[in-house]
Amino acid sequence: MTPKRVKRLAISVFDLAILLIAFAATQLNANPNHLVALEGAIQEIYEQNKDAIVRVKVATETKDETGQAQTSLVVFSGFFISKEGRVLTNAIPEDKTTRIWIEKDGLSYLSDLVGNDERTNISLLQAINLPKNFEHIELPAQQSKSTIGSFAFAITSPLDFAPSPTFGLVTGYESHFANIVFPFTYTRVSIPIGPAEGGSPVFNAKGDLLGISMASMPEVRSSYIIPHQALIRIVRDLTHEGEVQYGVIPLEFEERSDRFNLSRRIRIKTIVPGSPAARAGLRSGDHLKTIDGEAVTSINQVRDILFFKDPENFLLFEVERENKKLEFAILLEPQADHLPAEGITETEEKPSDESQS
């Protein structure tokens, strides 16, 4: 994306928010309650959750060119997720951290790091001393996926200000950005995240938690959030293991167009020789039809299925090869035990006409 296109897109996202407010205002003649209802929704979500929001401060130590220690401060937003004082925030640099504390209502509370996952930029903390009065935000067990265009509301702890509300829209779902591959599908929202606002909770119009902000995209006035379904899995692993347990299948997938059927197909691009997938009989060029009986038509689906399956379990792959359907049981290997061959992959087959993009 060229800088000029990025600038235009950034302006269009900002203008969209203005148009939403303007549209609501034009409805006042027809129904004076429209704008009031929007205002009331933001206020209600804020009032219900503001006492769960904290500022997270991390003292880190590095050495300068002369070997002298230098201390710096990293600041995030965060929020309580339990009455016992567990806090979610952005990932903390473990090897450089000397002290962690949270701030609420102008008071500081020392905290311990329960678990950290740099890949998703999430840390779980435990407050050592608890505030006298605080609320926590539940991680919903089940919740329907918000459609693109739905409202999204965030409560951040910017700089040294009190918890502050802001709103935008759900604008997309992606499992990669440019050359960066995500472990599952992230939610994109038109809520820019500024200094110290990473780690903020984001809600839907019903006040249910959508997820936690983990990466800013200032060029398009947007940010990515970890959706609540993934947060449940991440919090579970950080609580019990101190880190997220990722599974690995040594395959590379690609999404291709099927111009005959006017659809998208998932193709196995490469396989690590000698891996369980290769020994089971999967080949480069196989078209993936289902995983554990679930039809897959996008890379997002594939990455989500692999993330939410616990390592050391088998996945049933159904593929199409030369107009035949074949099934293979493939072990999802623990990432910690998986050592991929370096620089060696199967020679990729030339795609057939029906799968050529």
Side-chain angles (χ1 to χ4, degrees):
M1 183 178 290
T2 65
K4 187 175 182 180
R5 290 181 62 192
V6 169
K7 184 177 180 181
R8 286 178 179 173
L9 184 56
I11 293 173
S12 67
V13 172
F14 175 75
D15 289 345
L16 178 59
I18 300 300
L19 287 173
L20 285 170
I21 297 173
F23 173 77
T26 62
Q27 303 303 306
L28 286 175
N29 292 331
N31 187 343
N33 293 324
H34 284 182
L35 190 57
V36 174
L38 176 61
E39 180 182 70
I42 298 174
Q43 292 173 341
E44 183 177 1
I45 292 172
Y46 175 73
E47 289 297 326
Q48 289 178 346
N49 297 283
K50 66 178 182 178
D51 287 332
I53 311 303
V54 299
R55 183 177 297 106
V56 179
K57 291 190 173 180
V58 182
T60 63
E61 186 175 284
T62 57
K63 293 184 178 181
D64 60 18
E65 296 178 353
T66 64
Q68 295 294 318
Q70 292 184 327
T71 301
S72 58
L73 192 65
V74 180
V75 185
F76 305 110
S77 292
F79 57 98
F80 285 108
I81 61 168
S82 74
K83 61 183 179 181
E84 291 78 24
R86 292 290 169 94
V87 173
L88 273 180
T89 187
N90 280 170
I92 290 172
E94 291 184 81
D95 57 333
K96 302 175 183 177
T97 296
T98 59
R99 186 168 176 254
I100 305 170
W101 68 98
I102 62 173
E103 292 181 349
K104 185 180 185 303
D105 299 328
L107 299 176
S108 299
Y109 304 87
L110 282 175
S111 301
D112 285 332
L113 180 64
V114 177
N116 195 55
D117 185 52
E118 293 185 359
R119 187 173 179 186
T120 55
N121 195 22
I122 299 296
S123 281
L124 180 64
L125 309 179
Q126 173 64 59
I128 298 174
N129 299 310
L130 299 181
K132 290 183 178 179
N133 297 301
F134 71 95
E135 299 294 333
H136 70 278
I137 298 170
E138 297 282 353
L139 299 182
Q142 292 184 341
Q143 181 177 300
S144 58
K145 185 176 181 179
S146 294
T147 56
I148 293 177
S150 300
F151 279 116
F153 304 87
I155 305 178
T156 72
S157 187
L159 301 176
D160 286 327
F161 299 123
S164 306
T166 184
F167 80 99
L169 300 175
V170 173
T171 51
Y173 292 96
E174 288 96 32
S175 62
H176 72 279
F177 174 71
N179 294 324
I180 303 172
V181 176
F182 307 149
F184 48 83
T185 303
Y186 289 2
T187 305
R188 179 164 42 88
V189 295
S190 60
I191 301 176
I193 297 298
E197 292 184 302
S200 302
V202 180
F203 307 88
N204 62 19
K206 297 179 181 178
D208 297 325
L209 183 70
L210 282 179
I212 181 174
S213 59
M214 56 74 61
S216 177
M217 303 172 68
E219 298 87 355
V220 291
R221 297 181 60 84
S222 299
S223 59
Y224 275 120
I225 65 174
I226 302 293
H228 78 279
Q229 301 97 323
L231 274 183
I232 293 173
R233 161 80 193 280
I234 292 169
V235 169
R236 183 201 70 185
D237 284 3
L238 293 182
T239 299
H240 298 292
E241 305 292 339
E243 59 184 8
V244 177
Q245 304 296 300
Y246 289 101
V248 175
I249 290 181
L251 304 174
E252 183 180 357
F253 301 93
E254 62 179 352
E255 192 173 318
R256 287 179 171 266
S257 61
D258 181 348
R259 64 170 176 257
F260 293 106
N261 296 315
L262 300 178
S263 62
R264 306 290 293 177
R265 306 184 76 184
I266 304 302
R267 179 177 178 270
I268 296 176
K269 185 178 181 181
T270 57
I271 303 177
V272 174
S275 66
R279 294 196 301 270
L282 280 174
R283 299 178 186 172
S284 298
D286 286 345
H287 287 101
L288 183 61
K289 307 295 290 184
T290 68
I291 300 178
D292 281 351
E294 180 179 343
V296 290
T297 58
S298 71
I299 291 292
N300 288 0
Q301 285 179 282
V302 174
R303 291 174 181 149
D304 287 345
I305 292 172
L306 296 182
F307 175 77
F308 287 103
K309 188 78 171 182
D310 288 330
E312 299 185 336
N313 283 283
F314 282 89
L315 291 159
L316 184 62
F317 278 56
E318 182 187 88
V319 303
E320 184 179 276
R321 181 190 303 163
E322 298 175 352
N323 296 320
K324 295 180 180 179
K325 290 186 178 179
L326 306 171
E327 291 187 344
F328 301 91
I330 308 298
L331 177 67
L332 186 63
E333 304 172 75
Q335 186 181 51
D337 299 339
H338 182 69
L339 298 174
E342 296 183 0
I344 303 176
T345 56
E346 248 186 39
T347 301
E348 183 182 350
E349 295 180 2
K350 182 179 181 180
S352 61
D353 289 339
E354 69 170 353
S355 63
Q356 181 71 44
S357 59

